[in-house]
Structure formats: structure tokens, C-alpha cells
Amino acid sequence: MDSLSYKTISANAATVTKEWVVIDATNEVLGRLASQIAKILRGKNKPSYTPHVDCGDYVIVVNAEKVKLTGDKMTEKVYVRHTGYPGGQRFATAQDYLKKKPEFVIEEAVRGMLPKTRLGEAIIKNLKVYAGAEHPHAAQSPKAIKLNEIK
């Protein structure tokens, strides 16, 4: 019997193989899209998943401006930020951000689903979001996937 067949394999930065993946956000629901993206970024869809290692793939999201929100979230969901000055709290709805900066909505939804640690900060850098259908990562030859094919 092969002695390595029953040993637990723990991935590290040297043994991880990262791929590039393209996801089209057209007519996708924001939360469902973000949870699938977070799963791919984290590497939970791979058999070699290790919780303390960045073993996920690079994810390119195109057509971010065409993402959907269900119910009244388009007008009721509020993003809060602070300028740093007294009385500097600012509010904006999802509708405002989808007009002005549609990448922000997807990035924030995915960021909220990742760990709030140094690892989470490293993983979010593997996400590239673009408002239109074009992206500058053709040299990496990313493969397009459908969200319903992900398990």
C-alpha cells in the first residue's frame, strides 16, 4: 500500500495552482453572485482547499452595471461612509452606486463574505470587477464559467 495515499495534504503558496475565471454578471442577483464569487476566491470549490492559505482563483467579473437587486433593495439599501470630519457621515443608495461606480456594489458584497483578516485582504485583491463587457486580462486566457455550473 502506498504510504502517501492516506496522508492529509495541506496546500501552501508553493503548491497552489491558480487559474483565471470570467463571470458575466448580466441579470444575476447580487447576493447569489457574490457568494459564488467568494467561494471561488477562497478556493472552497477545489479539493485542495486549506483554510489558512490563499488557494482560490483569480475572478474577473464583467457587466457589473447589469446586476440585479431583488425587492426594494435598489432604493432601500444604503451604503454608509464617513469623511473623517465631524458630521461627515454620508449615505448613498445602491441605485446611486450602480449609476456612478457599479464595480463598488459587487466588491463590497464580496468583501463582506470574506474573512476580516490579512488573508481576506489578500484574497480580495484577486477580484477584478469591470462595469462593461471588456476587460484587460485577455493575456491570462481566462475561462468563462456559468454560475449554475459551480458546485
Side-chain angles (χ1 to χ4, degrees):
M1 180 176 187
D2 185 15
S3 64
L4 291 178
S5 65
Y6 57 87
K7 302 244 180 180
T8 301
I9 305 297
S10 183
N12 59 29
T15 61
V16 170
T17 57
K18 289 176 161 277
E19 298 175 354
W20 286 77
V21 173
V22 174
I23 297 177
D24 189 2
T26 304
N27 292 328
E28 295 290 341
V29 178
L30 177 63
R32 296 171 189 270
L33 172 71
S35 65
Q36 294 295 329
I37 292 170
K39 185 193 305 184
I40 296 169
L41 283 172
R42 193 84 200 273
K44 287 190 167 189
N45 59 335
K46 295 181 175 183
S48 62
Y49 169 69
T50 307
H52 63 278
V53 178
D54 178 10
C55 54
D57 296 331
Y58 294 96
V59 177
I60 304 165
V61 181
V62 293
N63 292 320
E65 61 196 4
K66 297 178 183 173
V67 74
K68 292 191 313 186
L69 280 86
T70 58
D72 292 333
K73 292 189 202 93
M74 192 67 83
T75 55
E76 299 294 321
K77 182 172 179 60
V78 177
Y79 293 94
V80 181
R81 65 184 181 88
H82 200 283
T83 63
Y85 290 96
Q89 202 170 24
R90 302 290 184 258
F91 305 96
T93 63
Q95 190 173 24
D96 297 337
Y97 270 114
L98 280 174
K99 287 180 188 169
K100 183 173 60 174
K101 198 162 72 167
E103 303 90 0
F104 174 82
V105 176
I106 293 178
E107 287 169 0
E108 280 301 301
V110 172
R111 181 175 283 121
M113 296 180 185
L114 292 176
K116 281 51 169 190
T117 59
R118 287 181 289 184
L119 178 62
E121 291 299 316
I123 289 174
I124 196 69
K125 292 177 184 170
N126 297 335
L127 175 65
K128 316 291 183 197
V129 184
Y130 299 99
E134 300 297 320
H135 64 83
H137 303 286
Q140 282 75 23
S141 61
K143 65 175 188 174
I145 61 169
K146 303 261 189 252
L147 288 182
N148 54 6
E149 295 174 358
I150 303 169
K151 296 292 180 218

